[in-house]
Amino acid sequence: MDGNWLSIIPFLLVIPIAMMTKQVLPGILIGLIAGAYLTNPAPIGGIETMLQYLVTALVDKNNIKIIVFLYVFSGLVGMIKVAGGIKGFVEAASERVDTKKEAILLTYVSTIGTFSAPSFRFVTIGPIMRALLKRVDMTKKELGFVIETTTTPIIVLIPIATAFVGYMVSVVELGLHNQNLKGDPYSLFIQSIPFNFFAIAIFLVGIYLSFFHHSSDGAQQKPNENGSEEDDWHNCDPAVSLDLPSKPWNLLLPLIVVIGLTLILTWWDGHQKGFGFFKAFIKANVLDAMVIALLITTFLTIFFFLFQKFELKMLIESFVFGGNNLMSVILLLSVIWGLASVTEDLGFSTFITDHTGWIPSILVPPILFLFGSAVSYFIGSAWGTWGILMPLGISMAAISGVSLPLVIGAVFASGTFGAFASPLSDDVNTLSRILGLQVMEYARFKLKAALIAVAISAACYTGITFIL
């Protein structure tokens, strides 16, 4: 079926269905089912084929490692919550905040200890900062904007110890595999980081608006005027509830250990292969290093918490609860892997090669970015956008001769825009709930800044092709 136009049908179904349902999974699942029936049109054959693609994806060695990483990382965060690590960190960090600039600075500095995942950061800094609004001249919308510009746009630029790394590397690996291209997916991810222009632009725009621009937003929106700070804390998230201990080192030590071990094991794997110090980090099997470092950190953290007299049953339950929070992501990953495989078997890569060569190479990165930004805005998912567009982006890069890291960065940037700006985004909805904001009103508040960053990014993607 090389070059078969039928290979694009699954993708043509994915995006409009995701937009109509406002959910990524239904669109991707229907795309997988359609592709399976195109491969095997028998009444039951399509379902059997779909199951085969899913099973094949789930038994892949690297895919299993990614699933283990995501589940264990989320489980570790669950244990840190009940051990009072989050509550202790936010309490210690907020003791001397009295002004708006100090509150903003605390929000930026807190990224150091809370960069592992958006939800982790929201429940860590969101409740305490909401409570502190009683003491500083700042609206909840302004606070939400500062928190979000220092969350996903920062996390996507950090190459270790985040819940994003494994997934981002996996979609790059998937695109390379579909095109039969050689290359280390983690190295390409590292090289693409400077080309995630939207993440960089919105962070810089955020700094300008936070520190050098006077907001003209309407009346100050305070938390419940009759409520207490303790009520805000207790009602926003159990991570800072009143009955938890306050132990900041229960957050900081696990993070220090997992980051340190990841770096050491990454270097050691490359060193064992005979490479020098710096090249060892590039040539190492980073996925293995990340998983092993995370597992060791989890075991050490359990012993550390048991030493503090936390109950083993409580730690296990919090680990399972935390891990289960990412089961929807793991399900999404499995369907995306299956969709990529079935479209490749239908001849997607060859079709793209035969029909997109007319696009000038200078326009490939900006077109991918702008198209991906539109998709991510309407479906509200960075991960869904990356899963949908990365195979397409790498295919277009291969046939146009455009730098792979540049195109990969453009795809990652497009998803980052949706996570930040879309009213359907999990980030936007979660933070709005924590801060007590109306979702659509809050999304409109920050859309202008997001579009400014989009314009800057599109210009950069167009201009950079003259250099690379």
Side-chain angles (χ1 to χ4, degrees):
M1 296 186 183
D2 286 350
N4 197 328
W5 66 271
L6 295 175
S7 64
I8 66 170
I9 289 180
F11 287 112
L12 293 178
L13 292 172
V14 168
I15 295 173
I17 291 173
M19 289 179 179
M20 287 188 294
T21 62
K22 301 180 181 179
Q23 297 288 330
V24 179
L25 184 59
I28 295 176
L29 182 60
I30 291 175
L32 172 59
I33 293 172
Y37 270 103
L38 289 172
T39 303
N40 186 354
I44 301 179
I47 299 298
E48 291 177 340
T49 302
M50 179 194 72
L51 179 62
Q52 186 177 17
Y53 278 112
L54 288 173
V55 170
T56 301
L58 289 172
V59 299
D60 180 84
K61 181 175 66 174
N62 285 334
N63 291 351
I64 291 174
K65 291 176 184 176
I66 291 166
I67 290 172
V68 169
F69 176 84
L70 293 173
Y71 192 93
V72 174
F73 194 95
S74 189
L76 176 63
V77 171
M79 290 196 300
I80 290 172
K81 285 182 183 180
V82 300
I86 294 175
K87 181 180 179 182
F89 176 83
V90 295
E91 282 184 341
S94 64
E95 287 177 351
R96 300 181 180 177
V97 174
D98 295 307
T99 68
K100 178 178 178 179
K101 284 193 175 181
E102 288 175 349
I104 293 173
L105 187 60
L106 169 61
T107 307
Y108 276 88
V109 172
S110 67
T111 308
I112 297 172
T114 60
F115 63 81
S116 56
S119 58
F120 186 30
R121 178 153 170 73
F122 294 154
V123 302
T124 300
I125 199 66
I128 182 62
M129 293 307 301
R130 177 180 174 178
L132 288 174
L133 286 179
K134 287 177 174 290
R135 294 156 53 185
V136 299
D137 183 24
M138 188 177 187
T139 69
K140 289 190 285 186
K141 287 189 289 185
E142 289 174 327
L143 171 61
F145 178 79
V146 175
I147 292 176
E148 279 208 89
T149 55
T150 55
T151 303
T152 296
I154 295 296
I155 293 173
V156 296
L157 302 177
I158 298 175
I160 59 171
T162 78
F164 280 29
V165 173
Y167 180 75
M168 296 174 82
V169 172
S170 74
V171 293
V172 174
E173 182 177 28
L174 197 61
L176 294 175
H177 175 75
N178 286 352
Q179 279 294 308
N180 295 317
L181 297 175
K182 293 183 179 180
D184 179 68
Y186 183 76
S187 296
L188 285 170
F189 166 58
I190 295 289
Q191 295 170 46
S192 75
I193 289 175
F195 301 118
N196 192 331
F197 292 135
F198 177 81
I200 297 169
I202 194 62
F203 178 69
L204 295 177
V205 169
I207 289 177
Y208 169 74
L209 293 177
S210 297
F211 292 103
F212 306 105
H213 178 75
H214 296 289
S215 173
S216 59
D217 185 46
Q220 299 289 298
Q221 299 183 52
K222 297 291 185 183
N224 300 324
E225 294 296 339
N226 298 324
S228 66
E229 290 184 7
E230 288 76 17
D231 289 336
D232 284 330
W233 279 42
H234 185 269
N235 293 331
C236 284
D237 194 272
V240 290
S241 65
L242 298 179
D243 58 348
L244 287 178
S246 179
K247 297 177 177 286
W249 284 106
N250 284 352
L251 164 66
L252 296 176
L253 278 179
L255 285 179
I256 291 170
V257 171
V258 73
I259 293 172
L261 277 178
T262 300
L263 291 172
I264 292 170
L265 294 177
T266 300
W267 168 79
W268 180 251
D269 184 74
H271 174 73
Q272 291 285 83
K273 295 175 181 178
F275 296 102
F277 181 79
F278 291 105
K279 200 167 186 179
F281 286 95
I282 298 175
K283 297 297 183 180
N285 187 329
V286 183
L287 181 57
D288 279 359
M290 287 171 54
V291 174
I292 294 171
L294 180 59
L295 290 173
I296 294 173
T297 301
T298 302
F299 293 139
L300 291 176
T301 301
I302 291 173
F303 286 120
F304 180 51
F305 290 166
L306 288 174
F307 181 77
Q308 299 177 52
K309 308 301 183 183
F310 288 103
E311 293 182 2
L312 179 60
K313 179 181 178 182
M314 180 186 70
L315 295 177
I316 293 174
E317 288 176 350
S318 61
F319 178 87
V320 173
F321 181 80
N324 287 346
N325 283 336
L326 276 190
M327 286 306 298
S328 60
V329 172
I330 292 171
L331 175 61
L332 175 66
L333 268 176
S334 303
V335 180
I336 285 174
W337 289 330
L339 175 65
S341 296
V342 73
T343 53
E344 188 58 27
D345 288 347
L346 288 169
F348 176 74
S349 295
T350 306
F351 180 84
I352 292 297
T353 302
D354 293 342
H355 294 87
T356 60
W358 60 270
I359 300 177
S361 59
I362 191 176
L363 295 180
V364 169
I367 285 176
L368 267 175
F369 169 69
L370 293 172
F371 176 67
S373 295
V375 170
S376 67
Y377 185 83
F378 285 108
I379 67 176
S381 170
W383 289 32
T385 302
W386 298 338
I388 293 169
L389 291 187
M390 190 60 75
L392 173 64
I394 290 179
S395 297
M396 294 181 70
I399 64 174
S400 64
V402 176
S403 165
L404 261 181
L406 175 60
V407 168
I408 292 170
V411 173
F412 284 143
S414 67
T416 307
F417 167 76
F420 178 84
S422 174
L424 305 179
S425 164
D426 288 344
D427 290 5
V428 176
N429 282 271
T430 300
L431 190 58
S432 296
R433 178 182 61 83
I434 290 174
L435 296 182
L437 289 165
Q438 293 294 325
V439 174
M440 292 304 298
E441 184 180 347
Y442 171 55
R444 285 194 297 269
F445 170 76
K446 57 183 180 154
L447 183 58
K448 181 178 179 180
L451 291 177
I452 290 172
V454 165
I456 293 171
S457 302
C460 289
Y461 286 120
T462 303
I464 197 72
T465 52
F466 288 105
I467 302 173
L468 298 179

